[in-house]
Amino acid sequence: MDVVVADNLVKVFPTPDGREKRAVDGLSFRVQSGHIYGLLGPNGAGKTTTLRLLSGLMAPTSGSASLGGFDVSTQPNDVKRVLGFLTANTGLYQRLTARELLVYFARLHRIEPDASAARAEELINWLGIGDFAALRCGALSTGQKQRVNIARALVADPPILIMDEPTLGLDVLSNRIILEYIKRERDGGKTIILSTHYLDEAEDMCDRIGLLHDGKLVAEGDLASLRLLAGEERLSNIFLKLIHANEKVEAVVR
Amino acid sequence: MSFHRSIRTIYGKELVDILRDRRTLIAMIVVPIVLYPLLMLGSIQAVSYQAESMEDEPLVVGILGEQQAVELQLLIERDTLALRQEKEQLDPESDEAIQFPSPLDHFQLRSFASPEALETSIQNRMINLGVVLSGEIRTDMPDRTNSVQLLYDFEDIRSMFARNRLGEMLERTADRVRTARKQHLGLPEAFDKPFEITAKDLSTPSSILGQILPLILILMTITGAIYPAIDLTAGERERGTLESLMVSPVPVIDLIVGKFLVVTTVAIMGAALNLASVTATVYFGGFDKMIAGTGGGIPIVTMVVILLCLIPFAVLMSAIMIAVCSFARTFKEAQNYVTPVILAVLIPGGIAALPATRLEGIMLVMPVGNMVLLAKEFLLGATVPALHIVMVLISTTLYAGAAVALAANIFGKESVVFADAGSFKAGLTRGLIKPSARPTISMGLLFVAVLFPVWFFVQAAFSPGPDEDASGLLHATGVLMPVLFVILPVAMAAYWKIDIRNTFSLRVPPLRHLFAGILVGVSAWVPAHELNVLQQFLFGIPQNVIESAERMGEALFALPVASVFLLIALVPALCEELLFRGFLLSGLGSAAKKWTAILVAGAVFGVFHFFLFKFPVTFVLGILLGYLCWQSRSILPGIIAHFLHNAIGATSALWQEEWLGWLGVQADDEWAHLPLRVLVVGGVVFVGGVLMMSRRKEPARESYTTTIPDGS
């Protein structure tokens, strides 16, 4: 079953000089229930914009998208109910403790006070936040913050997760911890869209991969079919080949 | 309701969050507790030091001619001697003795040879006062008047002080000479005093406070609101928490209302702490006499009144601050936006604080200014008419509501949330505006909030003088109403690519709604009349309503019949329907629920009639017309109903005798109940009309049904 459907999504930004920039340009893809879908692409390919369109943070210029059967444009509140959203640079409320923050977001999802506290405790145990749950978020390390952030995204136990470079700037250990949690969520039946430009990560994690370049999907499939398509073994080589960047790399190296 | 629950959740969290911030605490608690007492101590001591030093420092008096200098010196010495003798006769404990004038022992005399030199010295402030005597001073000649000219500089406080002291001395001397002359001639003491004029100053201690305190407190309240407003809006974006907030299933309006309530709370808490700090400083510092004058003491009641007046002000300021800061992406940007807003607020506040400004006319609806004036009037102990209080509160609520609606529309907009989504300017650049079906709620509310004072001013400017009829007002309305109520909103809609047909409900109505409009139009005067009778019975009729009705009546007879129906019935029916049931109701309906939108539009329609007495009837009619438009999805039935209702009003005024005769009512009793048969027939027609409205015309499938919401 396709839980996420993007249909010919277009997002046009006005640029300061009065022209238009097509950040997302006719993007269509589907994500099956219980899959991790990797959205890969170089900086500026349109990954973040795509994820913002899917989460309803931005309105598409044209095209449509649906999450869990709800249309992003016309049923934004329903979409937000089935969605957990996480980015690398999501801030936390510095003056709330991790526990208070989780309870707050649970309450925003209309979870009753007692149930909110219980859910926060559950996530604190599950994600190993206990040691710093009583500290204010301003005092946490980057890795700790990102764990709290994952807990925040999971607080309403949403069936769909959108994660925009969740491991950006993390050390190896934190990175591994976060990725393990994401896998556990997938194994628990959640549908996850993951954007990253760490290709090893994608190779390791994703059930399906979409290669994004200049707002367009250059190729899509599981790792095996992408290898076949590009005639390369390693994802990084597949990636470079498919976006025709090899010539550019050689030109620069030479 | 879940609506309130999410606002409560947001309110609770934001309040904890903001109160844990050191900067808020410093601005809210440390500043008032430490700074104001310090400031007050400092300024009071500086003032009293200045006053003391003025007493101590010698005042230099220049006098034309050496001989004259000797004579003036002699006068001063004689006065000093006389004062000493007079004071010895008084009981040293009595009030009189305490307030007894002191001799001019700090005066230094310097003689000048020429008048020019004397004047130049005063202008250069080399000396404080100049004295020119017309000749030798002779107090012993009964037929002689000695002329003394005092030269001084009004701008120089020392010069004024010297002038007063010397003037008093001369008065005292003149009194003594007069007494001596009367004794000499054997005249009674009262001979030259046919009147004894005394004046008593009845200004209460609070009156002095009344002039300054409101303005000071405005500053305190703004100071309290600025930081939280920025922190909760632009700060959210800057710290990267906005995205996670915006993907939570909470409508933006809930977020904004929750945040707005927190800012209001903090602003009121700050104002209360400031006020308490000032009061405590004044009391415990023993400065109450100095501030409040000889009356002493600042009544606690006064302070409570000030605090109560501050609450609506805090509400308005918080709403404005939240709206302004919602435009900003960073703290710095928000601060840049806030500064001009504070200046803009201080201008009406400052005008209101001027002693001569009263709470009347345009000042009644002046944002901020009206609140300051209301506080001032209360403090001055003036009786403020209930209508004025209502006007101030309603207009303030309207402005605050519009600001909150604006904030809800801006906050979280993708152009504000994401730097790469284009600037806010893009939202005003026509090429980039996307067509939409109807105006936003904030556009609707903002428009009426701005129009309200403008329309009030128009009404005030053209309101008839004591001997005029209201035809000037009618003509002005006839010209300005189409411009302000119709052309302006249509132009706005056109610019923002808003569907004009949909916004103004320009559709062919179903026949049943047309018929309902006609029924209600011809019968609404019956319940309206009964409602007026009830009001009259409960509260009486305010004089201004009677006068305005009389002027209007005179105008009707002064104008040709066709003009009467044009100006009273057709123009208002068209214009008011298009504005209130067209632009405003569409805007409200884009975000609010059906009945909220209809009630708010009805209330605004009522408020626009300015008279409190007219509010109940216009409010109810506004609701009915809103309901009619909503149900029929067409503006036309409402226009017809409105026209018929107003036309009947004009007819009954023009042909009053025939009208009353037809009804069977005594001509001299216009506040009587209508005869039963009229009540029954009118009531049945009216209720029938309302019932006919109840079936709604289903909207036809249109090319776009809603605008794309921005994260709400």
Side-chain angles (χ1 to χ4, degrees):
Chain A
M1 200 188 81
D2 295 328
V3 178
V4 178
V5 178
D7 187 17
N8 206 13
L9 276 179
V10 175
K11 181 65 183 179
V12 177
F13 292 127
T15 57
D17 56 6
R19 281 181 305 182
E20 291 186 336
K21 178 186 149 205
R22 297 177 81 82
V24 174
D25 196 1
L27 196 63
S28 301
F29 65 93
R30 283 153 186 272
V31 183
Q32 261 184 359
S33 175
H35 272 196
I36 296 184
Y37 186 94
L39 211 49
L40 268 59
N43 294 330
K47 298 189 297 283
T48 298
T49 305
T50 304
L51 298 184
R52 284 174 179 169
L53 290 174
L54 288 178
S55 60
L57 280 171
M58 279 183 177
T61 310
S62 69
S64 66
S66 73
L67 267 73
F70 298 113
D71 187 272
V72 169
S73 298
T74 56
Q75 298 163 290
N77 274 336
D78 295 308
V79 167
K80 287 169 188 177
R81 245 172 240 126
V82 297
L83 172 70
F85 186 84
L86 177 70
T87 72
N89 49 13
T90 307
L92 298 171
Y93 293 106
Q94 314 261 319
R95 300 185 289 265
L96 294 191
T97 67
R99 184 176 278 112
E100 285 169 337
L101 184 120
L102 294 178
V103 171
Y104 174 56
F105 276 96
R107 299 283 295 126
L108 286 185
H109 278 87
R110 310 268 164 92
I111 301 173
E112 291 303 320
D114 292 346
S116 292
R119 176 66 181 156
E121 223 49 54
E122 194 183 336
L123 287 166
I124 285 167
N125 291 331
W126 196 68
L127 289 163
I129 295 173
D131 292 344
F132 47 89
L135 293 182
R136 292 197 187 171
C137 296
L140 304 182
S141 72
T142 314
Q144 289 172 331
K145 275 183 187 162
Q146 195 63 345
R147 268 197 264 177
V148 175
N149 241 327
I150 290 191
R152 178 194 55 72
L154 295 177
V155 81
D157 201 13
I160 304 170
L161 290 174
I162 291 185
M163 308 193 144
D164 190 6
E165 314 210 5
T167 55
L168 192 74
L170 294 186
D171 60 54
V172 183
L173 179 65
S174 306
N175 188 324
R176 187 58 54 85
I177 292 171
I178 301 290
L179 292 180
E180 281 311 310
Y181 287 135
I182 295 176
K183 274 189 191 163
R184 268 159 68 176
E185 283 301 313
R186 187 259 319 267
D187 297 341
K190 292 201 193 310
T191 308
I192 298 167
I193 300 181
L194 179 73
S195 113
T196 179
H197 54 236
Y198 297 135
L199 300 173
D200 306 343
E201 218 173 277
E203 207 167 326
D204 182 37
M205 304 268 301
C206 299
D207 300 298
R208 255 179 107 75
I209 290 168
L211 286 182
L212 203 59
H213 185 52
D214 280 344
K216 295 190 183 74
L217 212 49
V218 189
E220 198 199 23
D222 55 18
L223 198 56
S225 61
L226 286 181
R227 281 178 180 146
L228 209 63
L229 184 72
E232 298 275 355
E233 180 63 21
R234 289 180 56 85
L235 185 59
S236 48
N237 290 336
I238 298 173
F239 182 78
L240 289 173
K241 190 159 184 179
L242 287 176
I243 64 170
H244 309 292
N246 278 343
E247 300 86 359
K248 287 181 205 160
V249 174
E250 280 161 22
V252 172
V253 172
R254 206 174 289 150
Chain B
M1 252 168 73
S2 57
F3 176 76
H4 296 298
R5 202 174 64 183
S6 54
I7 290 180
R8 238 188 357 251
T9 304
I10 292 156
Y11 179 82
K13 176 261 162 185
E14 299 290 14
L15 196 60
V16 169
D17 196 352
I18 205 80
L19 289 181
R20 278 184 188 168
D21 189 2
R22 209 180 308 128
R23 286 174 288 188
T24 316
L25 293 181
I26 289 174
M28 209 169 78
I29 298 173
V30 181
V31 167
I33 287 181
V34 177
L35 193 68
Y36 290 106
L38 270 182
L39 271 181
M40 194 163 281
L41 280 173
S43 59
I44 287 173
Q45 280 176 359
V47 167
S48 58
Y49 171 75
Q50 217 177 7
E52 272 170 30
S53 69
M54 209 130 72
E55 298 259 331
D56 291 343
E57 264 180 44
L59 293 165
V60 186
V61 178
I63 179 155
L64 198 61
E66 283 188 29
Q67 179 58 37
Q68 279 83 349
V70 176
E71 285 185 28
L72 186 62
Q73 184 67 46
L74 211 60
L75 276 182
I76 294 176
E77 279 167 16
R78 265 194 233 146
D79 175 64
T80 308
L81 200 65
L83 280 178
R84 204 166 294 152
Q85 286 168 357
E86 286 163 19
K87 191 169 183 180
E88 275 166 13
Q89 291 164 8
L90 293 170
D91 173 12
E93 299 292 312
S94 70
D95 276 355
E96 228 181 326
I98 290 165
Q99 289 178 20
F100 203 74
S102 53
L104 308 186
D105 38 13
H106 293 303
F107 277 60
Q108 282 181 2
L109 296 190
R110 194 185 294 169
S111 66
F112 281 77
S114 76
E116 292 79 23
L118 181 61
E119 284 183 17
T120 317
S121 302
I122 295 167
Q123 279 160 350
N124 295 344
R125 302 198 175 174
M126 304 286 292
I127 60 170
N128 303 112
L129 186 69
V131 179
V132 180
L133 303 177
S134 62
E136 194 187 350
I137 300 269
R138 293 295 298 269
T139 54
D140 52 347
M141 295 164 67
D143 59 345
R144 182 179 168 113
T145 298
N146 299 289
S147 135
V148 182
Q149 188 187 22
L150 301 181
L151 307 172
Y152 64 99
D153 180 352
F154 182 75
E155 302 292 327
D156 180 3
I157 186 161
R158 285 168 191 284
S159 184
M160 291 299 291
F161 184 66
R163 190 203 84 146
N164 290 343
R165 293 296 312 273
L166 196 74
E168 285 162 14
M169 188 279 285
L170 288 170
E171 280 295 322
R172 286 196 296 270
T173 309
D175 278 346
R176 287 184 204 112
V177 171
R178 243 192 316 263
T179 308
R181 284 179 183 177
K182 283 185 285 190
Q183 276 172 355
H184 180 71
L185 293 174
L187 293 171
E189 180 64 18
F191 175 75
D192 59 346
K193 277 188 191 160
F195 290 103
E196 165 92 18
I197 302 160
T198 57
K200 193 174 171 188
D201 182 10
L202 287 181
S203 69
T204 49
S206 55
S207 65
I208 297 144
L209 284 174
Q211 307 291 354
I212 343 157
L213 253 188
L215 205 56
I216 297 176
L217 285 168
I218 279 184
L219 279 174
M220 296 172 177
T221 314
I222 296 176
T223 316
I226 292 175
Y227 177 72
I230 297 180
D231 191 74
L232 295 186
T233 51
E236 188 98 53
R237 146 93 178 119
E238 192 164 340
R239 287 188 297 264
T241 50
L242 189 55
E243 274 190 328
S244 48
L245 192 61
M246 297 308 291
V247 291
S248 302
V250 182
V252 186
I253 185 80
D254 289 20
L255 291 176
I256 281 297
V257 171
K259 285 165 182 287
F260 153 72
L261 291 176
V262 168
V263 177
T264 309
T265 309
V266 174
I268 291 174
M269 287 200 292
L273 277 169
N274 276 294
L275 198 60
S277 171
V278 169
T279 315
T281 313
V282 167
Y283 261 128
F284 297 119
F287 302 115
D288 46 346
K289 285 221 167 81
M290 287 182 116
I291 286 193
T294 47
I298 301 166
I300 291 294
V301 180
T302 309
M303 288 305 182
V304 174
V305 169
I306 297 177
L307 190 61
L308 287 178
C309 288
L310 275 177
I311 291 175
F313 176 73
V315 169
L316 177 61
M317 276 326 293
S318 306
I320 293 175
M321 289 291 172
I322 283 271
V324 170
C325 296
S326 291
F327 283 90
R329 290 179 194 147
T330 62
F331 243 87
K332 226 177 198 165
E333 199 181 343
Q335 277 166 339
N336 287 340
Y337 293 161
V338 162
T339 315
V341 171
I342 293 174
L343 287 178
V345 164
L346 286 182
I347 292 167
I351 292 172
L354 293 175
T357 322
R358 300 300 303 266
L359 186 60
E360 58 198 5
I362 188 81
M363 288 309 290
L364 275 172
V365 292
M366 171 93 76
V368 181
N370 58 5
M371 290 308 315
V372 177
L373 276 173
L374 188 63
K376 202 172 90 176
E377 301 264 313
F378 276 140
L379 287 172
L380 291 172
T383 317
V384 187
L387 175 70
H388 287 188
I389 301 175
V390 171
M391 283 295 280
V392 171
L393 291 180
I394 286 183
S395 55
T396 302
T397 312
L398 193 63
Y399 302 139
V404 170
L406 174 72
N409 209 35
I410 298 301
F411 186 77
K413 237 196 166 65
E414 58 180 68
S415 59
V416 177
V417 179
F418 308 109
D420 51 356
S423 64
F424 181 74
K425 209 178 124 205
L428 295 173
T429 311
R430 191 153 191 276
L432 300 172
I433 296 170
K434 274 200 248 170
S436 58
R438 35 174 48 186
T440 60
I441 190 167
S442 69
M443 202 183 271
L445 278 176
L446 263 184
F447 185 80
V448 290
V450 173
L451 183 62
F452 185 66
V454 172
W455 192 241
F456 184 87
F457 184 67
V458 167
Q459 298 279 310
F462 291 98
S463 74
D467 301 317
E468 292 171 345
D469 63 45
S471 47
L473 177 63
L474 276 177
H475 281 118
T477 305
V479 174
L480 290 172
M481 207 183 233
V483 175
L484 296 172
F485 283 34
V486 182
I487 296 178
L488 226 51
V490 169
M492 273 175 68
Y495 184 82
W496 269 279
K497 297 184 188 166
I498 299 165
D499 186 333
I500 288 177
R501 179 171 156 259
N502 190 41
T503 300
F504 295 93
S505 299
L506 306 178
R507 297 188 190 86
V508 179
L511 267 180
R512 72 182 277 131
H513 290 114
L514 264 185
F515 199 55
I518 294 171
L519 289 185
V520 168
V522 297
S523 62
W525 63 273
V526 175
H529 176 88
E530 289 301 315
L531 193 51
N532 277 333
V533 171
L534 179 69
Q535 267 179 266
Q536 188 269 145
F537 173 71
L538 290 176
F539 312 112
I541 319 151
Q543 191 58 35
N544 56 1
V545 172
I546 299 176
E547 273 172 25
S548 128
E550 277 172 7
R551 303 255 181 284
M552 199 52 85
E554 288 160 18
L556 297 188
F557 289 107
L559 293 170
V561 172
S563 302
V564 169
F565 283 97
L566 180 73
L567 296 174
I568 295 270
L570 190 61
V571 169
L574 271 174
C575 300
E576 291 180 348
E577 288 312 303
L578 286 168
L579 176 63
F580 296 109
R581 259 65 68 180
F583 194 75
L584 179 63
L585 189 62
S586 297
L588 292 168
S590 68
K593 294 202 177 76
K594 172 182 172 180
W595 279 107
T596 314
I598 291 176
L599 284 173
V600 171
V604 173
F605 175 66
V607 168
F608 264 75
H609 287 80
F610 296 117
F611 287 104
L612 189 60
F613 186 80
K614 290 186 189 169
F615 182 79
V617 169
T618 46
F619 178 47
V620 173
L621 285 179
I623 293 171
L624 266 180
L625 291 166
Y627 182 56
L628 183 56
C629 179
W630 191 283
Q631 294 298 99
S632 63
R633 304 188 72 243
S634 166
I635 199 82
L636 194 61
I639 292 178
I640 290 172
H642 199 148
F643 172 80
L644 288 172
H645 179 76
N646 285 14
I648 289 173
T651 309
S652 69
L654 278 178
W655 295 283
Q656 197 175 20
E657 244 172 73
E658 292 85 341
W659 174 257
L660 293 177
W662 180 72
L663 290 177
V665 175
Q666 292 293 315
D668 55 347
D669 193 8
E670 55 176 316
W671 295 107
H673 287 288
L674 292 168
L676 190 62
R677 65 188 162 78
V678 179
L679 277 180
V680 170
V681 175
V684 166
V685 174
F686 181 75
V687 171
V690 174
L691 288 177
M692 282 186 77
M693 296 176 190
S694 62
R695 191 190 294 167
R696 175 151 204 229
K697 187 193 178 200
E698 288 311 312
R701 205 92 191 113
E702 296 191 11
S703 54
Y704 40 68
T705 45
T706 50
T707 51
I708 295 163
D710 304 295
S712 60

